[in-house]
Amino acid sequence: MIRAIRNLSAMGLAALLAACAQVQTTQSGLVGVNRTQTMSTLVSEAELNQQAEVEYRQILAQAKAKGALDTPAAQTQRVQAISRKLIAQVGVFRPDARNWAWEIHLLKSGEVNAWCMPGGKIAVYTGLLDKIQPTDAELAAVLGHEISHALREHAREQVSRQMAANVGLSILSAVTGNQAVADLGSSLTQVMFTLPNSRSNETEADRMGVELAARAGYDPRAAITLWQKMEQSGGGGQPEILSTHPSSQSRIADLAQASEIVLPLYQGKK
């Protein structure tokens, strides 16, 4: 049994390695984001962007049918204006992103949330504006962070990790015939791989986000007050955005350090 596991594991590992590539999706910028990323060649950037496009259209269509798309007009214009200033700066990290088919829409919803899909498909929820009441600089911090996730292709990186985990679990489950082992393995994989890498992804998006904001003319230090507001707004339950963007004192400290690095960029715009 042990030999069979080893043989199958070796075969699976060989197949997995053959389907992976070490890439650097962005330039490092002043904040120094230069981690080499492992991407599965089974899921290309183009394929993920295409899927994101399909899902984005569905979300917009549902919102439009409910009368919840790009309303109120004043909030929509504000979100789009700040987003465009940030998008104008993406070339510092990724020159090709200047040519992405960027879109920015406001969704009328009580959720405190915002996101940017692969390829530059942005959505901001009115709940973020109404409940957090961010300044323009704080809103730029949110948007810069979400845009940075897309620039870094963090979604594709997570898909690649999940594919790698599934290969290993399929091998183990096939040999042992034990579904409980597969379930335990899934939990272990999440702890061992998903959480640590998600933290690194969040740190990268934080650092890149404050640089985008500073270059666009927004005070990068607003990222600190923004996440503090997020944590303090949990009276009606945790804001949706914090379920995928956990905050902590170490995060605040890192944001403070990154903000100081790019502060001269902002001051030069004044």
Side-chain angles (χ1 to χ4, degrees):
M1 177 67 75
I2 293 176
R3 180 176 295 176
I5 292 175
R6 286 175 177 169
N7 289 342
L8 280 172
S9 297
M11 292 169 61
L13 180 60
L16 186 62
L17 290 175
C20 289
Q22 299 298 308
V23 300
Q24 178 63 275
T25 56
T26 61
Q27 297 175 11
S28 63
L30 280 183
V31 291
V33 173
N34 52 23
R35 176 179 60 91
T36 300
Q37 299 165 272
T38 301
M39 299 289 193
S40 172
T41 57
L42 300 178
V43 179
S44 70
E45 177 191 354
E47 288 172 327
L48 205 60
N49 288 357
Q50 184 176 22
Q51 182 59 37
E53 171 79 20
V54 171
E55 293 185 16
Y56 194 62
R57 294 289 156 233
Q58 292 174 346
I59 292 170
L60 296 185
Q62 290 169 1
K64 186 175 182 179
K66 298 176 182 177
L69 180 64
D70 294 333
T71 182
Q75 287 186 338
T76 301
Q77 291 167 5
R78 181 188 178 208
V79 167
Q80 291 178 340
I82 294 173
S83 296
R84 290 189 184 106
K85 288 182 180 179
L86 294 165
I87 291 167
Q89 306 301 320
V90 298
V92 70
F93 289 111
R94 186 162 180 161
D96 68 306
R98 295 191 186 102
N99 300 320
W100 286 2
W102 292 92
E103 287 190 55
I104 312 112
H105 290 282
L106 183 71
L107 304 180
K108 193 171 182 60
S109 167
E111 288 186 16
V112 177
N113 206 5
W115 40 261
C116 182
M117 283 184 171
K121 307 303 182 186
I122 299 171
V124 175
Y125 292 62
T126 54
L128 173 65
L129 305 178
D130 297 337
K131 296 177 183 178
I132 303 299
Q133 296 187 348
T135 64
D136 284 358
E138 288 171 342
L139 184 53
V142 175
L143 290 164
H145 178 99
E146 299 305 328
I147 288 169
S148 296
H149 276 307
L151 295 177
R152 253 331 241 174
E153 293 187 54
H154 283 153
R156 184 177 165 215
E157 191 174 13
Q158 289 175 325
V159 169
S160 298
R161 284 194 214 111
Q162 194 58 52
M163 291 178 68
N166 289 342
V167 168
L169 291 174
S170 296
I171 293 169
L172 185 59
S173 184
V175 173
T176 64
N178 189 337
Q179 184 60 41
V181 171
D183 292 341
L184 177 61
S186 179
S187 298
L188 181 61
T189 299
Q190 184 179 26
V191 171
M192 289 293 295
F193 300 104
T194 306
L195 280 178
N197 283 288
S198 291
R199 290 187 185 116
S200 66
N201 288 358
E202 286 303 302
T203 298
E204 289 174 350
D206 278 347
R207 293 175 181 175
M208 292 170 63
V210 296
E211 181 163 344
L212 287 175
R215 290 181 180 278
Y218 297 103
D219 190 336
R221 295 168 295 189
I224 300 169
T225 58
L226 178 280
W227 291 109
Q228 289 172 337
K229 278 186 179 180
M230 289 285 194
E231 287 192 314
Q232 294 166 3
S233 67
Q238 185 188 55
E240 182 67 22
I241 198 170
L242 287 186
S243 66
T244 52
H245 301 74
S247 191
S248 66
Q249 288 305 309
S250 60
R251 178 180 202 169
I252 297 298
D254 191 79
L255 278 168
Q257 184 178 14
S259 296
E260 287 302 315
I261 292 173
V262 301
L263 189 59
L265 295 174
Y266 162 67
Q267 293 172 331
K269 296 279 185 177
K270 296 171 69 174

